[in-house]
Amino acid sequence: MHTYVMSKPALYYSLFSPPARACILTAKLIGLELDLKLVDFASKQHLTPEYLALNPQHQIPVFVEADNEIFIDSHAIMAYMVSKYANNDDMYPKDLKKRARIDHMLHFENGVLFQVIKDMVRRNIYGGEAEFNPVTLEMCSNAYSFLESFLGDSPFFGNSAVLTIADVCLNTTLVTLDLLIPVDDKKHPRLRAWMERMKTLLPSYEDVNLSGAKVLCDRIKKTMRGNKIKADSITEYD
């Protein structure tokens, strides 16, 4: 009789991506070993026919189960990993009321908080803007204020007593934004305190989360400096 060993699930990722980092950290938290497959955006690997067959949206992350079932979208991937592989449902509860609160924060991260980064990328990387647009700054300020209110007196988001996937995905995005538009300790003391707690609760915080955030931050800042040089040069010759 032959014994067949199933391969590990694979995750296509790049550390600059907050959603990809959220999936990696979630897997570490539940003890799931992944076959990590780096996607090289510089060489446009995400636009190759092979990658587009995995995800026609040419985005990361992509999760490929051991049986070759493909899942895209970080929130769906995190929920799936916890539901299938975790020893308990703490990080994504089966209780419908608790789950609804976590789902709310997942949708907030995707529809509000992460949109600030997308606005930066659109304006400052691809749009030629040398400073953060007032619209971007207002979006970020509003998102921080909402998060401060949502957190309230709870140690974690979604009124949860324990760490959930909502905290993970919010943190990977916030860590990136905080490097660019810092969270004001005086305006948002609860949010800042939560961010400090997460440094000790998330695995590989420095080498995965913070290092990946710095890559995206540096890309945005470098492009903004280049945009300013171009703008100043044009002004000089007007």
Side-chain angles (χ1 to χ4, degrees):
M1 178 182 291
H2 297 283
T3 301
Y4 296 96
V5 179
M6 293 185 68
S7 60
K8 295 180 292 187
L11 185 79
Y12 290 79
Y13 80 103
S14 187
L15 283 185
F16 76 82
S17 163
R21 279 184 271 127
C23 290
I24 293 172
L25 295 179
T26 297
K28 287 178 176 289
L29 283 165
I30 63 174
L32 174 61
E33 189 175 352
L34 296 173
D35 180 10
L36 293 175
K37 297 183 178 294
L38 180 64
V39 179
D40 184 2
F41 277 68
S43 65
K44 300 188 184 300
Q45 186 181 354
H46 62 301
L47 298 177
T48 61
E50 293 80 9
Y51 193 80
L52 291 174
L54 295 173
N55 184 359
Q57 289 180 283
H58 51 79
Q59 298 171 336
I60 51 174
V62 171
F63 182 92
V64 181
E65 186 53 282
D67 62 2
N68 292 320
E69 186 83 16
I70 299 169
F71 299 92
I72 57 178
D73 181 86
S74 60
H75 309 86
I77 293 169
M78 288 187 288
Y80 173 81
M81 288 193 298
V82 171
S83 298
K84 179 169 182 179
Y85 291 105
N87 292 326
N88 55 57
D89 69 340
D90 285 352
M91 290 192 67
Y92 193 55
K94 293 183 175 68
D95 180 279
L96 294 180
K97 289 183 178 179
K98 292 181 179 179
R99 176 171 288 197
R101 295 190 188 102
I102 304 308
D103 286 342
H104 164 228
M105 298 314 306
L106 296 178
H107 288 298
F108 180 87
E109 188 278 331
N110 184 42
V112 179
L113 188 66
F114 192 70
Q115 295 307 308
V116 181
I117 291 182
K118 292 183 73 172
D119 198 60
M120 288 177 178
V121 171
R122 180 170 65 86
R123 295 177 186 276
N124 301 112
I125 291 184
Y126 297 113
E129 296 187 25
E131 303 290 341
F132 289 129
N133 192 282
V135 173
T136 310
L137 293 172
E138 183 178 13
M139 289 172 64
C140 191
S141 177
N142 289 341
Y144 288 171
S145 295
F146 288 139
L147 287 171
E148 179 77 7
S149 297
F150 290 148
L151 193 56
D153 294 325
S154 297
F156 302 103
F157 282 99
N159 197 32
S160 175
V162 296
L163 179 78
T164 73
I165 60 174
D167 297 286
V168 179
C169 76
L170 286 166
N171 187 264
T172 55
T173 298
L174 267 173
V175 166
T176 306
L177 281 174
D178 188 48
L179 294 173
L180 297 162
I181 306 174
V183 173
D184 189 319
D185 298 12
K186 294 181 180 178
K187 288 184 179 179
H188 311 109
R190 292 168 176 165
L191 185 58
R192 173 58 69 188
W194 171 84
M195 292 180 71
E196 291 301 314
R197 288 198 304 276
M198 293 294 284
K199 290 180 181 179
T200 61
L201 294 174
L202 292 180
S204 303
Y205 187 87
E206 293 285 339
D207 58 325
V208 172
N209 199 15
L210 189 57
S211 66
K214 286 179 177 177
V215 171
L216 181 55
C217 172
D218 291 346
R219 168 79 191 282
I220 293 173
K221 286 184 174 179
K222 180 180 179 181
T223 306
M224 290 172 69
R225 288 194 296 268
N227 292 342
K228 182 170 176 50
I229 292 172
K230 290 178 184 177
D232 290 346
S233 175
I234 292 172
T235 302
E236 184 178 339
Y237 291 99
D238 279 351

Coordinates of all heavy atoms in Angstrom, one line a residue, residues 154-228:
S154 N -12.6 48.0 24.5 CA -12.2 46.6 24.3 C -10.8 46.4 23.9 O -10.2 47.4 23.4 CB -13.0 46.0 23.1 OG -14.4 46.0 23.4
P155 N -10.2 45.3 24.3 CA -8.7 45.2 24.0 C -8.5 44.9 22.5 O -7.4 45.1 22.0 CB -8.3 43.9 24.8 CG -9.6 43.2 25.0 CD -10.7 44.2 25.1
F156 N -9.6 44.4 21.8 CA -9.4 44.1 20.4 C -10.6 44.6 19.6 O -11.7 44.9 20.2 CB -9.3 42.6 20.2 CG -8.1 42.0 20.9 CD1 -8.3 41.3 22.1 CD2 -6.8 42.2 20.4 CE1 -7.2 40.8 22.8 CE2 -5.7 41.6 21.1 CZ -5.9 41.0 22.3
F157 N -10.5 44.7 18.3 CA -11.6 45.2 17.5 C -12.8 44.2 17.4 O -12.6 43.0 17.7 CB -11.1 45.6 16.1 CG -10.4 46.9 16.1 CD1 -9.0 46.9 16.1 CD2 -11.1 48.1 16.1 CE1 -8.4 48.2 16.1 CE2 -10.5 49.3 16.1 CZ -9.1 49.3 16.1
G158 N -14.0 44.7 17.1 CA -15.1 43.8 17.0 C -15.7 43.5 18.4 O -16.4 42.5 18.6
N159 N -15.3 44.3 19.4 CA -15.7 44.1 20.8 C -15.3 42.7 21.2 O -16.0 42.0 22.0 CB -17.2 44.2 20.9 CG -17.7 44.4 22.4 OD1 -16.9 45.0 23.2 ND2 -18.8 43.9 22.7
S160 N -14.1 42.2 20.8 CA -13.6 40.9 21.1 C -12.7 40.9 22.3 O -11.9 41.8 22.5 CB -12.9 40.3 19.9 OG -12.4 39.0 20.2
A161 N -12.8 39.8 23.0 CA -11.9 39.7 24.2 C -10.5 39.1 23.8 O -9.6 39.0 24.6 CB -12.5 38.9 25.3
V162 N -10.5 38.5 22.6 CA -9.3 37.9 22.1 C -8.9 38.4 20.7 O -9.7 39.0 20.0 CB -9.5 36.3 22.0 CG1 -9.7 35.8 23.4 CG2 -10.6 36.0 21.1
L163 N -7.7 38.2 20.3 CA -7.2 38.6 19.0 C -8.0 37.8 17.9 O -8.2 36.6 18.0 CB -5.7 38.2 18.9 CG -5.0 38.5 17.6 CD1 -4.7 40.0 17.5 CD2 -3.7 37.7 17.5
T164 N -8.4 38.5 16.8 CA -9.1 37.9 15.7 C -8.4 38.3 14.4 O -7.5 39.2 14.4 CB -10.6 38.3 15.6 OG1 -10.7 39.7 15.2 CG2 -11.2 38.1 17.0
I165 N -8.9 37.8 13.3 CA -8.3 38.1 12.0 C -8.6 39.6 11.7 O -7.9 40.2 10.8 CB -8.9 37.2 10.9 CG1 -10.4 37.3 10.8 CG2 -8.4 35.8 11.1 CD1 -11.0 36.5 9.6
A166 N -9.6 40.2 12.3 CA -9.9 41.6 12.1 C -8.7 42.4 12.6 O -8.2 43.4 11.9 CB -11.1 42.0 12.8
D167 N -8.2 42.1 13.8 CA -7.0 42.8 14.3 C -5.8 42.6 13.4 O -5.0 43.6 13.2 CB -6.7 42.3 15.7 CG -7.8 42.5 16.7 OD1 -8.0 43.7 17.1 OD2 -8.5 41.6 17.0
V168 N -5.6 41.4 12.9 CA -4.5 41.2 12.0 C -4.5 42.0 10.7 O -3.5 42.7 10.4 CB -4.4 39.7 11.7 CG1 -3.1 39.4 10.8 CG2 -4.3 38.8 12.9
C169 N -5.6 42.0 10.0 CA -5.7 42.7 8.8 C -5.7 44.2 9.0 O -5.1 45.0 8.2 CB -6.9 42.3 7.9 SG -8.5 42.9 8.4
L170 N -6.3 44.7 10.1 CA -6.2 46.1 10.4 C -4.8 46.6 10.7 O -4.4 47.6 10.3 CB -7.2 46.5 11.6 CG -8.7 46.5 11.3 CD1 -9.5 46.5 12.6 CD2 -9.1 47.7 10.4
N171 N -4.1 45.7 11.4 CA -2.8 46.1 11.8 C -1.8 46.2 10.7 O -1.0 47.1 10.6 CB -2.2 45.1 12.9 CG -0.9 45.5 13.5 OD1 0.2 45.1 13.0 ND2 -0.9 46.4 14.4
T172 N -1.8 45.2 9.8 CA -0.9 45.3 8.7 C -1.1 46.5 7.8 O -0.1 47.1 7.3 CB -1.0 44.0 7.8 OG1 -2.3 43.8 7.3 CG2 -0.6 42.7 8.5
T173 N -2.3 47.0 7.7 CA -2.5 48.2 6.9 C -2.1 49.4 7.7 O -1.5 50.3 7.2 CB -4.0 48.3 6.5 OG1 -4.3 47.2 5.6 CG2 -4.3 49.6 5.8
L174 N -2.5 49.4 9.0 CA -2.2 50.5 9.9 C -0.7 50.7 10.1 O -0.2 51.9 10.1 CB -2.8 50.4 11.2 CG -4.2 51.0 11.4 CD1 -4.8 50.6 12.8 CD2 -4.1 52.5 11.3
V175 N 0.1 49.7 10.2 CA 1.5 49.8 10.3 C 2.1 50.5 9.1 O 3.0 51.4 9.3 CB 2.1 48.4 10.5 CG1 3.6 48.5 10.3 CG2 1.8 47.8 11.8
T176 N 1.6 50.3 8.0 CA 2.1 51.0 6.8 C 1.7 52.4 6.8 O 2.5 53.3 6.6 CB 1.5 50.3 5.5 OG1 1.8 48.9 5.5 CG2 2.1 50.9 4.2
L177 N 0.4 52.7 7.1 CA -0.1 54.1 7.1 C 0.6 54.9 8.2 O 0.9 56.1 8.0 CB -1.6 54.1 7.3 CG -2.5 53.8 6.1 CD1 -3.9 53.7 6.5 CD2 -2.3 54.9 5.0
D178 N 0.9 54.3 9.3 CA 1.5 55.0 10.4 C 2.9 55.5 10.1 O 3.4 56.5 10.6 CB 1.5 54.1 11.7 CG 2.0 54.8 12.9 OD1 1.5 55.9 13.2 OD2 2.9 54.3 13.6
L179 N 3.6 54.8 9.2 CA 4.9 55.3 8.7 C 4.8 56.5 7.8 O 5.7 57.3 7.7 CB 5.6 54.2 8.0 CG 6.0 52.9 8.8 CD1 6.5 51.8 7.8 CD2 7.0 53.3 9.8
L180 N 3.6 56.7 7.2 CA 3.4 57.8 6.3 C 2.6 58.9 6.9 O 3.0 60.1 6.7 CB 2.7 57.3 5.0 CG 3.5 56.2 4.2 CD1 2.5 55.4 3.3 CD2 4.6 56.9 3.4
I181 N 1.6 58.6 7.6 CA 0.7 59.6 8.3 C 0.6 59.1 9.7 O -0.4 58.3 9.9 CB -0.6 59.8 7.6 CG1 -0.4 60.1 6.1 CG2 -1.4 60.9 8.3 CD1 -1.7 60.2 5.3
P182 N 1.4 59.5 10.6 CA 1.4 58.9 11.9 C 0.1 59.0 12.7 O -0.6 60.1 12.6 CB 2.6 59.6 12.7 CG 3.5 60.1 11.6 CD 2.5 60.4 10.4
V183 N -0.3 58.0 13.4 CA -1.4 58.0 14.3 C -1.1 59.0 15.5 O -0.1 58.8 16.1 CB -1.8 56.6 14.9 CG1 -2.9 56.7 15.9 CG2 -2.2 55.7 13.7
D184 N -1.9 60.0 15.7 CA -1.7 61.0 16.7 C -2.1 60.4 18.1 O -3.2 60.1 18.3 CB -2.6 62.2 16.4 CG -2.2 63.4 17.4 OD1 -2.0 63.2 18.6 OD2 -2.2 64.5 16.9
D185 N -1.1 60.3 18.9 CA -1.3 59.7 20.3 C -2.3 60.4 21.1 O -3.1 59.8 21.8 CB 0.0 59.6 21.1 CG 1.1 58.8 20.4 OD1 0.9 58.5 19.2 OD2 2.1 58.5 21.0
K186 N -2.4 61.7 20.9 CA -3.3 62.5 21.7 C -4.7 62.4 21.2 O -5.7 62.3 22.0 CB -2.9 64.0 21.8 CG -1.6 64.2 22.5 CD -1.2 65.7 22.5 CE 0.2 65.9 23.2 NZ 0.6 67.3 23.2
K187 N -4.9 62.3 19.9 CA -6.2 62.2 19.3 C -6.7 60.8 19.4 O -8.0 60.6 19.5 CB -6.2 62.7 17.8 CG -6.1 64.1 17.6 CD -6.1 64.5 16.1 CE -6.0 65.9 15.9 NZ -6.1 66.2 14.4
H188 N -5.8 59.8 19.3 CA -6.2 58.4 19.2 C -5.4 57.6 20.2 O -4.7 56.6 19.7 CB -6.1 57.9 17.8 CG -6.6 58.8 16.7 ND1 -5.9 59.6 15.9 CD2 -7.9 59.1 16.4 CE1 -6.6 60.3 15.1 NE2 -7.9 60.0 15.4
P189 N -5.5 57.8 21.5 CA -4.7 57.1 22.4 C -5.1 55.6 22.5 O -4.2 54.7 22.7 CB -5.1 57.7 23.8 CG -6.4 58.4 23.5 CD -6.4 58.8 22.1
R190 N -6.4 55.2 22.3 CA -6.7 53.8 22.3 C -6.1 53.1 21.1 O -5.7 51.9 21.3 CB -8.2 53.7 22.3 CG -8.9 54.1 23.6 CD -10.4 54.2 23.4 NE -11.1 54.6 24.6 CZ -12.4 55.0 24.6 NH1 -13.1 55.1 23.5 NH2 -13.0 55.4 25.8
L191 N -6.2 53.7 20.0 CA -5.6 53.1 18.8 C -4.1 52.9 18.9 O -3.6 51.9 18.5 CB -6.0 54.0 17.6 CG -5.6 53.4 16.2 CD1 -6.2 52.1 16.0 CD2 -6.0 54.4 15.1
R192 N -3.5 53.9 19.4 CA -2.0 53.8 19.6 C -1.7 52.7 20.6 O -0.7 51.9 20.4 CB -1.4 55.1 20.0 CG 0.0 55.1 20.4 CD 0.9 54.6 19.2 NE 0.9 55.6 18.2 CZ 1.5 55.4 17.0 NH1 2.0 54.2 16.7 NH2 1.5 56.3 16.0
A193 N -2.4 52.6 21.7 CA -2.2 51.6 22.7 C -2.4 50.2 22.1 O -1.6 49.3 22.4 CB -3.1 51.8 23.9
W194 N -3.4 50.1 21.3 CA -3.7 48.8 20.6 C -2.5 48.4 19.7 O -2.1 47.3 19.6 CB -5.0 48.9 19.8 CG -5.3 47.7 18.9 CD1 -5.9 46.5 19.2 CD2 -5.0 47.7 17.5 NE1 -6.0 45.7 18.1 CE2 -5.5 46.4 17.1 CE3 -4.5 48.5 16.6 CZ2 -5.4 46.0 15.7 CZ3 -4.3 48.1 15.3 CH2 -4.8 46.9 14.8
M195 N -2.0 49.4 18.9 CA -0.9 49.1 18.0 C 0.3 48.7 18.8 O 1.1 47.8 18.3 CB -0.6 50.4 17.2 CG -1.7 50.8 16.2 SD -1.3 52.2 15.2 CE 0.0 51.6 14.2
E196 N 0.6 49.3 19.9 CA 1.7 48.9 20.7 C 1.5 47.4 21.3 O 2.5 46.6 21.3 CB 1.9 49.8 21.9 CG 2.3 51.2 21.5 CD 3.7 51.2 20.8 OE1 4.6 50.5 21.2 OE2 3.8 51.9 19.7
R197 N 0.3 47.1 21.6 CA 0.0 45.7 22.1 C 0.3 44.7 21.0 O 0.8 43.6 21.2 CB -1.4 45.6 22.6 CG -1.7 46.2 23.9 CD -2.9 45.7 24.6 NE -4.1 45.8 23.8 CZ -4.9 46.9 23.7 NH1 -4.5 48.0 24.3 NH2 -5.9 46.9 22.9
M198 N -0.1 45.1 19.8 CA 0.0 44.2 18.7 C 1.4 43.8 18.3 O 1.7 42.8 17.8 CB -0.7 44.7 17.4 CG -2.2 44.9 17.6 SD -3.1 43.3 17.7 CE -3.0 42.7 16.0
K199 N 2.3 44.7 18.7 CA 3.8 44.4 18.4 C 4.2 43.2 19.2 O 5.1 42.5 18.7 CB 4.6 45.6 18.9 CG 4.5 46.9 18.0 CD 5.4 48.0 18.5 CE 5.2 49.2 17.7 NZ 6.1 50.4 18.2
T200 N 3.6 42.9 20.3 CA 4.0 41.8 21.1 C 3.2 40.5 20.8 O 3.6 39.4 21.1 CB 4.0 42.1 22.6 OG1 2.6 42.4 23.0 CG2 4.9 43.3 23.0
L201 N 2.0 40.8 20.3 CA 1.1 39.7 20.0 C 1.2 39.0 18.7 O 0.9 37.8 18.5 CB -0.4 40.1 20.2 CG -0.8 40.6 21.6 CD1 -2.2 41.2 21.6 CD2 -0.7 39.4 22.6
L202 N 1.7 39.8 17.7 CA 1.8 39.2 16.3 C 3.2 38.6 16.2 O 4.2 39.2 16.5 CB 1.6 40.3 15.3 CG 0.2 40.9 15.2 CD1 0.2 41.9 14.1 CD2 -0.8 39.8 14.9
P203 N 3.3 37.4 15.6 CA 4.5 36.7 15.3 C 5.3 37.5 14.2 O 4.7 38.1 13.3 CB 4.2 35.3 14.9 CG 2.8 35.5 14.3 CD 2.1 36.6 15.1
S204 N 6.6 37.4 14.2 CA 7.4 37.9 13.1 C 7.1 39.4 12.8 O 7.0 39.8 11.7 CB 7.2 37.1 11.8 OG 7.6 35.7 12.0
Y205 N 6.8 40.1 13.9 CA 6.4 41.5 13.7 C 7.4 42.3 13.0 O 7.1 43.1 12.0 CB 6.1 42.2 15.1 CG 5.5 43.5 14.9 CD1 4.1 43.7 14.8 CD2 6.3 44.7 14.9 CE1 3.5 44.9 14.6 CE2 5.7 45.9 14.7 CZ 4.3 46.1 14.6 OH 3.8 47.3 14.4
E206 N 8.7 42.2 13.3 CA 9.8 43.0 12.7 C 10.1 42.5 11.3 O 10.1 43.3 10.4 CB 11.0 43.0 13.6 CG 10.8 43.7 15.0 CD 10.8 45.2 14.9 OE1 11.4 45.7 13.9 OE2 10.3 45.8 15.8
D207 N 10.4 41.2 11.2 CA 10.9 40.7 9.9 C 9.8 40.5 8.8 O 10.2 40.4 7.7 CB 11.7 39.4 10.1 CG 10.9 38.3 10.8 OD1 10.0 38.6 11.6 OD2 11.1 37.1 10.4
V208 N 8.6 40.4 9.2 CA 7.5 40.3 8.2 C 6.7 41.6 8.1 O 6.7 42.2 7.1 CB 6.6 39.1 8.5 CG1 5.4 39.1 7.6 CG2 7.4 37.8 8.4
N209 N 6.1 41.9 9.2 CA 5.1 43.0 9.2 C 5.8 44.4 9.0 O 5.5 45.1 8.0 CB 4.3 43.0 10.5 CG 3.0 43.8 10.3 OD1 2.6 44.1 9.2 ND2 2.4 44.1 11.4
L210 N 6.7 44.8 9.9 CA 7.3 46.1 9.8 C 8.2 46.2 8.6 O 8.2 47.2 7.9 CB 8.1 46.4 11.0 CG 8.6 47.8 11.2 CD1 7.4 48.8 11.1 CD2 9.3 48.0 12.5
S211 N 9.0 45.2 8.3 CA 9.9 45.2 7.1 C 9.1 45.4 5.8 O 9.5 46.1 4.9 CB 10.8 44.0 7.1 OG 10.1 42.8 6.8
G212 N 8.0 44.7 5.7 CA 7.2 44.8 4.5 C 6.5 46.1 4.4 O 6.5 46.7 3.3
A213 N 6.1 46.7 5.5 CA 5.5 48.0 5.5 C 6.5 49.1 5.1 O 6.2 50.0 4.4 CB 5.0 48.3 6.9
K214 N 7.7 48.9 5.5 CA 8.8 49.9 5.2 C 9.1 49.9 3.7 O 9.4 50.9 3.1 CB 10.1 49.6 6.0 CG 10.0 50.0 7.4 CD 11.3 49.6 8.2 CE 11.2 50.1 9.6 NZ 12.4 49.7 10.4
V215 N 9.0 48.7 3.0 CA 9.2 48.6 1.6 C 8.2 49.5 0.8 O 8.5 50.3 0.0 CB 9.1 47.1 1.1 CG1 9.1 47.1 -0.4 CG2 10.3 46.3 1.7
L216 N 6.9 49.3 1.2 CA 5.9 50.1 0.5 C 6.0 51.6 0.9 O 5.9 52.5 0.0 CB 4.5 49.6 0.9 CG 3.3 50.3 0.3 CD1 3.4 50.3 -1.2 CD2 2.0 49.7 0.7
C217 N 6.3 51.9 2.1 CA 6.5 53.3 2.6 C 7.6 53.9 1.8 O 7.5 55.0 1.3 CB 6.8 53.3 4.1 SG 7.2 54.9 4.7
D218 N 8.7 53.2 1.7 CA 9.9 53.8 1.0 C 9.6 54.0 -0.5 O 10.1 55.0 -1.1 CB 11.1 52.9 1.1 CG 11.6 52.8 2.5 OD1 11.3 53.7 3.3 OD2 12.4 51.9 2.9
R219 N 8.8 53.1 -1.1 CA 8.5 53.3 -2.5 C 7.6 54.5 -2.7 O 7.9 55.3 -3.6 CB 7.7 52.0 -3.0 CG 7.0 52.2 -4.3 CD 7.9 52.0 -5.5 NE 7.3 52.4 -6.8 CZ 6.4 51.7 -7.4 NH1 6.0 50.5 -7.0 NH2 5.9 52.1 -8.6
I220 N 6.7 54.7 -1.8 CA 5.8 55.9 -1.9 C 6.6 57.2 -1.7 O 6.5 58.1 -2.5 CB 4.6 55.8 -0.9 CG1 3.7 54.7 -1.3 CG2 3.8 57.1 -0.9 CD1 2.6 54.4 -0.3
K221 N 7.4 57.2 -0.7 CA 8.2 58.4 -0.4 C 9.2 58.7 -1.5 O 9.4 59.9 -1.8 CB 8.9 58.2 1.0 CG 8.0 58.3 2.2 CD 8.8 58.3 3.5 CE 7.9 58.5 4.7 NZ 8.6 58.4 6.0
K222 N 9.9 57.7 -2.0 CA 10.8 57.9 -3.1 C 10.2 58.5 -4.3 O 10.7 59.4 -5.0 CB 11.5 56.6 -3.4 CG 12.6 56.7 -4.5 CD 13.2 55.3 -4.8 CE 14.2 55.4 -5.9 NZ 14.9 54.1 -6.2
T223 N 9.0 57.9 -4.7 CA 8.3 58.4 -5.8 C 7.8 59.9 -5.6 O 7.9 60.7 -6.5 CB 7.1 57.5 -6.1 OG1 7.5 56.2 -6.2 CG2 6.4 57.9 -7.5
M224 N 7.4 60.2 -4.4 CA 7.0 61.6 -4.1 C 8.2 62.5 -4.2 O 8.0 63.6 -4.7 CB 6.4 61.6 -2.7 CG 5.0 60.9 -2.6 SD 4.4 60.8 -0.9 CE 4.0 62.5 -0.5
R225 N 9.3 62.1 -3.8 CA 10.5 63.0 -3.9 C 10.8 63.2 -5.4 O 11.2 64.3 -5.8 CB 11.7 62.3 -3.2 CG 11.7 62.4 -1.7 CD 13.0 62.0 -1.1 NE 13.4 60.7 -1.4 CZ 13.2 59.6 -0.6 NH1 12.5 59.8 0.5 NH2 13.6 58.4 -0.9
G226 N 10.7 62.1 -6.2 CA 10.9 62.3 -7.6 C 9.9 63.2 -8.3 O 10.2 64.0 -9.2
N227 N 8.7 63.1 -7.8 CA 7.6 63.9 -8.4 C 7.9 65.4 -8.0 O 7.6 66.3 -8.9 CB 6.3 63.5 -7.8 CG 5.8 62.2 -8.2 OD1 6.3 61.6 -9.2 ND2 4.9 61.6 -7.5
K228 N 8.4 65.6 -6.8 CA 8.7 67.0 -6.4 C 9.9 67.6 -7.3 O 9.8 68.8 -7.7 CB 9.1 67.1 -5.0 CG 9.4 68.5 -4.4 CD 9.5 68.5 -3.0 CE 9.9 69.9 -2.4 NZ 9.0 71.0 -3.0

